[in-house]
Amino acid sequence: MPGRQSNKLPNNLPQLQNLIKRDPQSYVDEFLQQHRHYQSNVEIFKLQPDKANRELAELLMFLSQVAHCYTQQLSTFPRQLSELLMSYHSVMDPDLRMTFCKALVLLRNKDLIDPTGLLELFFELLRCHDKLLRKTLYTHIVTDIKNINAKHKNNKVNTTLQNFMYTMLRDSNPIAAKISLDVMVELYKRNIWNDTKTVNVITTACFCKVTKILVGGLKFFLGKDEDEKDDSDSESENEGTSARDLMMRYSTGKKTTKNKKKLEKAMKVLKKHKRKKKPEVFNFSAIHLIHDPQDFSEKLLKQLESSKERFEVKIMMMELISRLVGIHELFLFNFYPFLQRFLQPHQREVTKILLCAAQASHQLVPPEVIEPVIMTIANNFVTDRNSGEVMTVGINAIKEVAGRCPLAINEDLLQDLAQYKTHKDKNVMMSARGLIQLFRNLNPQLLHKKDRGRPTEASTEAKIKGYGELEAKDYIPGAEVLEEEEENKKEEDEDGWESASISDEDEDGEWVDVHHSSDEDAGEVAEKLHSIPAEERKAKAAAVSGSRLLTQDDFKKIRLAQMAKEVNAAPGKAEKRKLEESDNEEEKGELLSLRDIERLHKKPKSDKETRLATALAGRTDRKEFVRKHTKLNPHASTSNKEKRRKKNFMMMRYSQNVRTKAKRSFREKQMALQAALLRKKKQH
């Protein structure tokens, strides 16, 4: 019976493997028999390593599956597999090589082999020209390192592997170096190797001569932050001033249109202050972990100037340099003239280059270095010979650069750009108004008097800082509010005692109105502070700041008063015109986005091809409602009736039908029309 022969244990390895796992001691002899068989197959393999050996592959998987049951007999088995793979991996059969690797992965999962030596062997195998093997090894390397650091970080293994990775990145084989880089990037993204050593090892990839490795390193550092979620309105009240406080404050008095507008403006100011107060979250802070960003950016710029890579790669290098300069506030003065060469409207990806120029600007760069960049953008983009979109992009770029380095733009240029607020193109007009709104907060003196808007207390108190100037205050601004509130409370307490004594004398027992000063008197306190000179306010604030410890409620009152300064008009100034609010009051983080440069307030007009494509796309289902002229046989000829209808009129004008048709009476024509309509109705 041939079916029974397959159930014999020496020949049926899966069945023997199942029995050994259940009861290892009962099948020692069978196991030793298979082990001797394996050793003889290994000797045969050494004689012909390039030949396929299916029997050896089956024995390898069998021994790997039961290795944990006979640890003494197979103590040298993992080391022997590693040595064979190291010695013959370049000439082995691909399927047998994959079986060797799977056997080693099984032994590693059973913790029968040291991870350091195995991972180093797998990194060596990445040089093989076998795509499936490289993919399998990559998956195992990432998973194994993740499992090693699952409970706690194994610094000993990590340090050894990171040092080995550093040598692999400089390997002569580009495929092995690229996969090593991918492993480090993946481990960093999974928060396993998120230390400075990994980041600084990856920096060496940015100077590699192989384009794929260079692009991989650049993409790692250009990784985008995750979109921060918007703050929900249901925030705890002890975190600061809430929307409810403002609602209570402006709803206690008379409900007028003026108070309603004040409430809307105060809500906008509150939203802006909350964005300022929110701590910055860096989900991808690789740029912050670089040891020497100044040296790194200088080497990148030198490489960029002599690079012969594709333009897309050069753009990525520009973006990385600009982020390094902007985030770390570096001095790289040669970078700005390099960017100026590309600032032309016809330049490919010019918006990204404008973004790099804005990102590389910061307050510590001397104004005379940034000013030529702004003048180049103004001369090349903001001219009437260009289209509205080009002018809009230019003004947006100047606004972003000037917002980060306000001293770099001169008064004449700013006033010229402000005149575009009445331009016929809506995009240009709104961009110019956004620039005006920016300088109303930064430096209103540079604008024309008619463009400065209604001055608020905050704008009158704002001081224009010079280059490199810092303003360090020894008091808490706005703390004078607390002293005024205490004085009001004392006066109210005295009034309360007087009213109480009067009410004791009265025997009528009528209700007495109780006056609460929490929200209603905030306006009175603000009015009192208006009349106090600025120097006296500073003295009061310094006295309050140094005399006692402030509570959370005190800070809440101070913030309310500071926000009121941005809403209330300056002393002696009436509200002449409605304040134009900018539509983009969002606080900029460390990184700018292309949307800041390419922002268009009006949707651009579509060209003829786009409109035609849109119209045709809406006619896809029209064929159902069109009469189909189809023949039963598409190869059949036309009828005599169709031929007569298509015949030239000059050939038919003297025929009997045509001549009699012209002589018909009105009644004959009427009957013919009626018959034609009936025939048409029957056809449908």
Side-chain angles (χ1 to χ4, degrees):
M1 298 177 67
R4 292 288 184 91
Q5 298 295 328
S6 62
N7 288 332
K8 291 183 178 180
L9 291 183
N11 299 326
N12 194 343
L13 291 180
Q15 186 183 4
L16 179 59
Q17 171 187 318
N18 186 23
L19 294 170
I20 287 175
K21 286 183 177 180
R22 293 183 180 184
D23 189 4
Q25 300 303 322
S26 302
Y27 297 93
V28 176
D29 295 336
E30 286 83 354
F31 164 74
L32 291 175
Q33 180 184 354
Q34 297 299 332
H35 188 236
R36 287 192 297 270
H37 193 195
Y38 156 75
Q39 289 175 340
S40 61
N41 274 280
V42 168
E43 296 301 324
I44 296 171
F45 165 75
K46 288 180 180 178
L47 295 174
Q48 294 178 330
D50 56 336
K51 295 287 181 69
N53 195 334
R54 183 180 176 184
E55 195 173 1
L56 177 60
E58 291 176 355
L59 288 168
L60 276 174
M61 295 308 295
F62 167 74
L63 293 177
S64 302
Q65 290 283 358
V66 300
H68 63 285
C69 300
Y70 304 105
T71 53
Q72 292 182 354
Q73 291 88 337
L74 295 178
S75 58
T76 59
F77 177 65
R79 190 176 74 249
Q80 185 185 20
L81 276 186
S82 302
E83 291 173 355
L84 287 172
L85 203 53
M86 180 64 78
S87 303
Y88 302 107
H89 70 271
S90 57
V91 295
M92 287 174 67
D93 179 69
D95 294 334
L96 186 58
R97 184 171 53 207
M98 178 67 80
T99 307
F100 267 80
C101 292
K102 287 180 178 178
L104 286 171
V105 169
L106 272 174
L107 294 172
R108 174 70 196 107
N109 292 340
K110 298 176 187 298
D111 202 16
L112 297 175
I113 188 170
D114 182 55
T116 308
L118 180 63
L119 291 175
E120 289 182 5
L121 170 64
F122 281 174
F123 275 113
E124 292 291 333
L125 293 178
L126 292 175
R127 295 186 177 91
C128 297
H129 295 284
D130 188 349
K131 194 170 185 180
L132 181 60
L133 176 69
R134 291 197 300 266
K135 188 176 180 181
T136 307
L137 295 179
Y138 170 79
T139 307
H140 170 72
I141 290 169
V142 173
T143 308
D144 195 25
I145 296 175
K146 184 186 78 171
N147 294 335
I148 290 171
N149 296 276
K151 293 182 180 178
H152 59 84
K153 290 203 173 183
N154 193 332
N155 291 323
K156 185 178 179 181
V157 176
N158 289 343
T159 305
T160 308
L161 290 175
Q162 283 170 345
N163 293 334
F164 186 75
M165 291 270 197
Y166 186 70
T167 60
M168 285 298 297
L169 275 179
R170 294 179 293 178
D171 195 85
S172 58
N173 190 330
I175 298 175
K178 178 66 171 66
I179 295 178
S180 302
L181 176 65
D182 292 342
V183 169
M184 283 191 286
V185 170
E186 184 66 25
L187 291 172
Y188 184 90
K189 288 181 178 178
R190 294 192 183 191
N191 288 327
I192 299 167
W193 281 4
N194 54 355
D195 54 348
T196 56
K197 188 168 186 178
T198 306
V199 172
N200 287 280
V201 167
I202 296 175
T203 55
T204 59
C206 296
F207 304 107
C208 185
K209 294 181 180 179
V210 182
T211 305
K212 281 190 175 181
I213 300 174
L214 169 64
V215 170
L218 294 174
K219 281 185 176 179
F220 170 74
F221 288 106
L222 291 175
K224 295 179 181 177
D225 294 344
E226 294 180 7
D227 293 333
E228 297 177 0
K229 295 180 180 178
D230 294 332
D231 290 337
S232 59
D233 294 333
S234 59
E235 292 181 349
S236 55
E237 292 187 9
N238 56 3
E239 290 180 359
T241 309
S242 64
R244 183 176 175 275
D245 296 330
L246 292 176
M247 294 287 287
M248 288 293 294
R249 178 173 178 179
Y250 285 98
S251 63
T252 49
K254 193 175 180 181
K255 291 178 175 59
T256 59
T257 309
K258 183 178 179 182
N259 280 345
K260 186 180 177 182
K261 289 181 179 178
K262 276 194 172 186
L263 174 61
E264 290 174 358
K265 191 175 176 185
M267 295 291 279
K268 287 185 178 180
V269 174
L270 174 67
K271 196 174 180 182
K272 187 170 72 172
H273 276 263
K274 280 191 175 180
R275 287 199 193 99
K276 282 183 182 178
K277 190 178 64 174
K278 187 168 61 175
E280 294 178 353
V281 180
F282 303 110
N283 297 320
F284 200 90
S285 57
I287 289 181
H288 296 268
L289 299 177
I290 298 174
H291 283 320
D292 191 355
Q294 179 72 38
D295 182 58
F296 181 47
S297 59
E298 287 175 0
K299 288 180 179 177
L300 270 178
L301 180 59
K302 186 178 179 182
Q303 179 180 345
L304 175 62
E305 289 174 342
S306 60
S307 175
K308 295 181 180 178
E309 298 286 350
R310 299 193 318 272
F311 187 69
E312 291 81 1
V313 181
K314 289 184 178 180
I315 287 286
M316 293 174 69
M317 295 171 74
M318 288 184 204
E319 289 180 351
L320 180 55
I321 294 172
S322 66
R323 289 192 185 188
L324 286 166
V325 172
I327 290 174
H328 293 280
E329 296 188 342
L330 307 177
F331 293 103
L332 202 66
F333 298 154
N334 293 337
F335 183 57
Y336 305 100
F338 179 81
L339 288 178
Q340 279 182 249
R341 294 159 36 192
F342 300 97
L343 296 179
Q344 297 288 341
H346 57 78
Q347 174 65 50
R348 185 157 54 108
E349 303 284 358
V350 69
T351 52
K352 290 186 178 179
I353 300 171
L354 289 169
L355 180 66
C356 293
Q359 183 71 60
S361 307
H362 55 86
Q363 291 185 349
L364 298 182
V365 181
E368 57 269 16
V369 176
I370 300 288
E371 189 174 359
V373 178
I374 294 181
M375 291 302 299
T376 304
I377 297 173
N379 294 332
N380 294 343
F381 288 83
V382 193
T383 56
D384 289 327
R385 66 175 181 271
N386 291 330
S387 64
E389 288 81 3
V390 173
M391 295 174 68
T392 304
V393 166
I395 296 175
N396 288 340
I398 291 173
K399 176 189 168 188
E400 297 300 332
V401 174
R404 290 172 168 253
C405 191
L407 299 175
I409 188 169
N410 56 51
E411 185 175 357
D412 296 335
L413 177 61
L414 180 61
Q415 292 181 2
D416 287 345
L417 294 176
Q419 291 178 3
Y420 284 102
K421 67 181 181 179
T422 57
H423 196 270
K424 60 181 180 181
D425 193 306
K426 186 177 180 181
N427 293 320
V428 179
M429 176 188 71
M430 295 302 292
S431 298
R433 290 185 179 185
L435 183 65
I436 292 171
Q437 186 62 35
L438 174 68
F439 274 88
R440 282 180 181 177
N441 299 327
L442 292 178
N443 190 354
Q445 302 302 320
L446 291 181
L447 296 168
H448 279 297
K449 191 172 182 181
K450 61 181 180 180
D451 294 331
R452 293 174 190 171
R454 181 175 63 89
T456 60
E457 288 184 68
S459 63
T460 53
E461 291 180 2
K463 183 184 177 184
I464 304 164
K465 297 178 184 176
Y467 172 66
E469 182 183 354
L470 292 175
E471 187 178 359
K473 296 179 179 178
D474 56 351
Y475 63 94
I476 300 173
E480 65 271 12
V481 180
L482 305 175
E483 188 175 351
E484 293 296 328
E485 285 196 354
E486 287 180 358
E487 292 178 1
N488 282 359
K489 282 182 181 179
K490 288 179 182 178
E491 292 175 3
E492 286 174 8
D493 290 341
E494 292 174 1
D495 294 341
W497 283 109
E498 289 176 5
S499 60
S501 60
I502 293 169
S503 62
D504 288 341
E505 293 174 2
D506 296 338
E507 295 178 358
D508 298 336
E510 295 179 354
W511 289 96
V512 179
D513 292 334
V514 181
H515 185 67
H516 297 281
S517 62
S518 57
D519 291 318
E520 297 174 8
D521 285 351
E524 297 178 8
V525 172
E527 289 177 5
K528 282 189 177 182
L529 290 174
H530 284 181
S531 58
I532 301 175
E535 294 298 327
E536 191 175 344
R537 283 194 211 174
K538 289 182 182 179
K540 284 189 174 186
V544 173
S545 303
S547 61
R548 59 173 173 147
L549 295 174
L550 302 182
T551 62
Q552 288 296 324
D553 293 334
D554 294 337
F555 281 112
K556 187 176 173 182
K557 292 172 184 175
I558 292 172
R559 277 192 290 269
L560 265 173
Q562 292 297 97
M563 282 191 288
K565 288 183 180 180
E566 297 189 25
V567 178
N568 299 330
K573 300 287 182 181
E575 187 173 355
K576 294 180 180 178
R577 63 178 70 88
K578 185 179 179 181
L579 187 68
E580 293 171 359
E581 297 291 342
S582 63
D583 66 333
N584 51 347
E585 289 186 349
E586 298 176 2
E587 287 299 312
K588 300 292 187 298
E590 284 192 328
L591 301 179
L592 294 174
S593 65
L594 266 180
R595 188 176 177 276
D596 299 323
I597 303 294
E598 298 175 348
R599 179 181 286 111
L600 296 176
H601 295 267
K602 185 181 179 182
K603 188 178 179 181
K605 189 177 181 180
S606 302
D607 54 355
K608 185 177 180 181
E609 288 79 7
T610 309
R611 295 198 303 271
L612 186 61
T614 307
L616 292 175
R619 298 179 187 172
T620 53
D621 300 332
R622 293 287 297 276
K623 291 180 180 178
E624 298 177 6
F625 310 103
V626 178
R627 184 181 173 189
K628 298 175 183 177
H629 298 278
T630 56
K631 299 177 182 178
L632 296 176
N633 183 8
H635 303 290
S637 63
T638 56
S639 63
N640 290 335
K641 187 177 180 181
E642 290 178 353
K643 286 175 182 174
R644 277 200 307 270
R645 191 164 57 240
K646 292 181 179 179
K647 190 176 285 189
N648 191 356
F649 178 72
M650 296 303 294
M651 298 173 66
M652 298 287 295
R653 63 181 297 186
Y654 295 109
S655 66
Q656 187 68 20
N657 291 335
V658 174
R659 292 167 71 180
T660 55
K661 189 183 287 187
K663 297 178 181 179
R664 286 185 301 179
S665 65
F666 177 76
R667 179 59 185 163
E668 289 173 342
K669 289 180 181 179
Q670 194 176 22
M671 291 172 66
L673 177 62
Q674 187 177 6
L677 291 174
L678 287 171
R679 284 197 306 271
K680 190 174 182 181
K681 188 175 181 181
K682 287 178 182 178
Q683 288 175 356
H684 289 286

